[in-house]
Amino acid sequence: MKPRHPAIVLALLVLLAGCSSQRAAQSRASEDLYAHGAQQVALLDLGFDALAQRVALIRAAKQRIDVHTFIYADDATGRFLLDELGAAADRGVRVRVLVDAMFCAIPPERLALVRRTHPGLRLAVYNPRPKDVVETRRSLQHEVHAGLNHRMHNKLLVIDGAAGITGGRNHEDTYFDVGQGLNYRDREVLIRGTAVRQMSACAASWWFHPLVVPVDELVAVTQATTAPVPDAADLRVGQLRDAIDRHLAAGAAPRWREVNRAGFCWDVPGRPERADATSTGAGLHHVLSQASTSIEIVSPYCVLNSASLDRLQDLRDRGLTIDILTNSLASTDAWWAYGAYLRDRRRLIANDVAVYETRPLPADVASMWSIAPEVVALRRGGREPFLSLHAKCVLADGKVAVIGTFNLDPRSKHINTEQVMILWDDAVAADLASLMRQDAAPRNAWRVGLRDLTMGWFHAPFVRLSEWTGDWLSLDIYPVQPTTCFELKPDCDPGPRAQTPDAAAWNDVGPTPEASEDIQKRASAIQTFGAVLTPLL
């Protein structure tokens, strides 16, 4: 007998097949989470893949979920992840989400709605201003408040104490390949095994600290009585969910590697004054002090003080080669931080540190973000999409890998709280080295070197005087830029490392290529007068 409504039957079959594939994907994620013995890691390089893995883990959670994020945006990604976390809480999973108070962009109305609709989803902020908390909490907040400049820079996801993610990504469209304009080139590590216990201990220790305030005790949330107004981001949430479901149903899985040794370092809330007493500082110091041949660093910001420059010089004096990849002025999301770095760029080159700056649209961009049609569609709607470096990685001797939240700047060392995962494993280090070196390749980044200044003999003594006085005067008295960016000529070999690349193979494309004139002027002003702002930058 023929069905009376074949179109309806066909639609139901398609729907059931989709539900079945989603359940199968969630079952695979659950099996992957629990059915393993050795400690394993996977690098999460592409943003959309990283989002899909987050969702798979959240859907597979059975007992508890802990989230730390520096930024929580009220965009499609932020709302989508709130929905997923809320669904986990509704099925009995204990869910705790901690956001830095200054960078929690979820409006009070949405926070109040989430708490009403998902009472098991516990939300809190770190180090809010005393005036922002309810009266019954205010006196305690006055006692423990760590100041506006101290922020929680943590990024963490822990599922059931069995699997975790840490690295550079916040909860925002721009970190997962779906930003309309700016998109971040970031990196994380997904890990399961004994190191996850350290991540769980971090989450537990943080949650019960006096600086952590539940959103129910924020004045704005208690006074929120209206529902959030629907907007365009709500439509994007549905599109993003569909894209993730298709991605997971297709069987997307991370590339796991068994590791010999891994350690998670995390800073305690309310950082102690001495940076070398922090866990992340001690962990990084250990990695650098044990290195014998090379250090490779990827950091979106490269704001250095005299102690940092001296440390790099000590490493060079020990015979180590040092390579640093950072943002160019054209790709950075913080021109003010770039301006502070400009004054020290010449000192890095003079100390024979190899410096590379990323292009906003690298030649290999197709392998640096998702090019799936539904993801490309989500990127449309704003300015032309481009990439800004946001990964924070260190590679020592090509054998020890560090991935985390720590930037090459004084904020990470002295002011913010940070987290890093250290991996002692040749195979994982080789995977990371391949990614880092691709990002720094001539087709994807400019090489920084000494500039051929007209009347260089005249400029040289003033440049040296500016370097000598810069550490204590907080002023660049001679802001002539003796460094520039170089682009490899077609079909040329890059040649050996050198302070000044061979003119036969490299073109001088200027100190700040592809950056607008307005941004160049702002960065130059910071270079000249902004040294006093270095701790803030």
Side-chain angles (χ1 to χ4, degrees):
M1 182 177 68
K2 287 185 177 182
R4 297 178 62 183
H5 300 287
I8 294 176
V9 172
L10 179 61
L12 286 171
L13 288 173
V14 171
L15 179 62
L16 289 172
C19 293
S20 175
S21 62
Q22 287 180 33
R23 286 195 297 270
Q26 290 172 216
S27 176
R28 285 194 301 271
S30 182
E31 291 172 4
D32 286 346
L33 188 56
Y34 295 101
H36 72 93
Q39 184 159 270
Q40 297 178 321
V41 303
L43 299 182
L44 300 180
D45 193 53
L46 297 184
F48 194 73
D49 289 348
L51 180 59
Q53 291 306 317
R54 272 174 172 76
V55 173
L57 289 172
I58 291 169
R59 292 175 179 177
K62 297 178 180 178
Q63 300 168 354
R64 58 191 186 274
I65 298 173
D66 279 289
V67 176
H68 288 183
T69 183
F70 176 54
I71 297 170
Y72 205 120
D74 185 38
D75 58 12
T77 297
R79 296 180 193 179
F80 173 48
L81 287 174
L82 271 182
D83 289 346
E84 293 291 333
L85 292 165
D90 293 346
R91 64 174 186 265
V93 178
R94 188 210 68 196
V95 182
R96 302 186 301 200
V97 179
L98 178 58
V99 189
D100 184 86
M102 185 176 287
F103 294 91
C104 180
I106 309 172
E109 295 78 13
R110 190 171 304 282
L111 289 172
L113 176 64
V114 169
R115 290 294 294 131
R116 289 195 302 271
T117 55
H118 306 290
L121 173 52
R122 301 167 67 185
L123 299 159
V125 294
Y126 176 76
N127 194 29
R129 297 176 301 178
K131 71 175 186 177
D132 293 335
V133 304
V134 294
E135 191 69 36
T136 54
R137 173 98 184 200
R138 196 162 298 163
S139 59
L140 173 61
Q141 197 62 22
H142 274 293
E143 290 179 20
V144 300
H145 187 53
L148 289 177
N149 202 29
H150 169 71
R151 307 314 325 164
M152 183 198 82
H153 199 232
N154 305 0
K155 290 103 176 175
L156 174 89
L157 171 67
V158 187
I159 306 290
D160 291 345
I165 294 175
T166 191
R169 292 187 176 98
N170 293 291
H171 285 208
E172 187 177 48
D173 286 348
T174 52
Y175 295 90
F176 298 104
D177 297 346
V178 292
Q180 296 178 317
L182 170 70
N183 283 270
Y184 288 114
R185 172 72 169 145
D186 218 321
R187 193 162 291 126
E188 295 172 304
V189 58
L190 166 60
I191 187 162
R192 55 192 186 189
T194 54
V196 183
R197 298 174 193 167
Q198 299 167 326
M199 301 173 77
S200 293
C202 167
S205 175
W206 270 77
W207 187 258
F208 296 105
H209 194 274
L211 281 169
V212 173
V213 179
V215 296
D216 297 339
E217 297 184 31
L218 297 178
V219 173
V221 175
T222 63
Q223 295 176 347
T225 57
T226 59
V229 178
D231 58 18
D234 292 324
L235 175 62
R236 282 172 52 82
V237 170
Q239 296 168 338
L240 182 58
R241 180 180 292 106
D242 291 344
I244 288 291
D245 287 343
R246 284 193 292 270
H247 188 76
L248 292 174
R255 180 188 179 190
W256 292 104
R257 286 198 182 276
E258 294 193 3
V259 297
N260 299 320
R261 180 183 166 202
F264 180 65
C265 301
W266 52 279
D267 295 333
V268 297
R271 291 258 321 243
E273 292 299 320
R274 291 176 60 246
D276 57 359
T278 66
S279 176
T280 53
L284 290 167
H285 176 78
H286 175 75
V287 170
L288 295 177
S289 63
Q290 294 296 309
S292 59
T293 59
S294 64
I295 296 290
E296 297 170 62
I297 299 171
V298 172
S299 174
Y301 317 113
C302 188
V303 182
L304 304 173
N305 55 20
S306 57
S308 302
L309 289 165
D310 290 344
R311 179 64 174 150
L312 290 174
Q313 185 58 54
D314 289 343
L315 294 170
R316 287 291 302 126
D317 292 343
R318 283 170 41 199
L320 279 74
T321 59
I322 302 175
D323 293 65
I324 297 176
L325 173 69
T326 191
N327 272 306
S328 64
L329 186 56
S331 68
T332 187
D333 65 341
W335 56 265
W336 49 92
Y338 185 92
Y341 145 76
L342 260 183
R343 57 176 286 138
D344 295 317
R345 192 168 76 169
R346 60 196 181 206
R347 296 175 70 173
L348 290 170
I349 301 304
N351 291 341
D352 204 22
V353 174
V355 180
Y356 308 88
E357 297 185 4
T358 57
R359 300 169 184 250
L361 280 176
D364 293 344
V365 66
S367 65
M368 295 179 178
W369 59 16
S370 174
I371 56 172
E374 59 267 33
V375 182
V376 173
L378 283 163
R379 282 199 292 267
R380 296 195 190 106
R383 58 175 292 190
E384 185 70 21
F386 70 99
L387 281 176
S388 178
L389 183 68
H390 198 262
K392 306 100 165 41
C393 311
V394 177
L395 193 64
D397 294 343
K399 296 181 178 180
V400 182
V402 182
I403 300 174
T405 69
F406 202 102
N407 290 313
L408 192 58
D409 65 14
R411 288 202 64 87
S412 287
K413 186 175 180 182
H414 298 289
I415 301 170
N416 291 340
T417 63
E418 306 290 350
Q419 300 166 335
V420 297
M421 184 69 73
I422 305 177
L423 304 163
W424 291 265
D425 187 85
D426 290 353
V428 172
D431 290 344
L432 180 61
S434 177
L435 294 169
M436 291 170 63
R437 292 166 189 170
Q438 178 193 21
D439 289 349
R443 62 188 179 277
N444 299 318
W446 292 294
R447 183 171 169 180
V448 179
L450 293 178
R451 187 180 179 190
D452 185 14
L453 287 172
T454 305
M455 296 178 63
W457 57 270
F458 173 81
H459 294 290
F462 294 102
V463 170
R464 285 196 293 270
L465 178 63
S466 180
E467 292 174 358
W468 179 67
T469 59
D471 290 338
W472 54 271
L473 192 59
S474 295
L475 180 70
D476 195 342
I477 64 172
Y478 196 71
V480 172
Q481 186 51 247
T483 59
T484 191
C485 290
F486 291 89
E487 182 177 71
L488 188 66
K489 296 178 180 178
D491 302 321
C492 285
D493 186 273
R497 297 164 58 102
Q499 292 181 347
T500 304
D502 183 1
W506 296 84
N507 284 322
D508 181 345
V509 291
T512 52
E514 296 186 17
S516 69
E517 184 177 349
D518 178 54
I519 295 298
Q520 289 183 31
K521 289 178 179 178
R522 296 184 199 176
S524 180
I526 293 291
Q527 175 194 352
T528 306
F529 303 108
V532 70
L533 300 176
T534 291
L536 292 174
L537 300 172

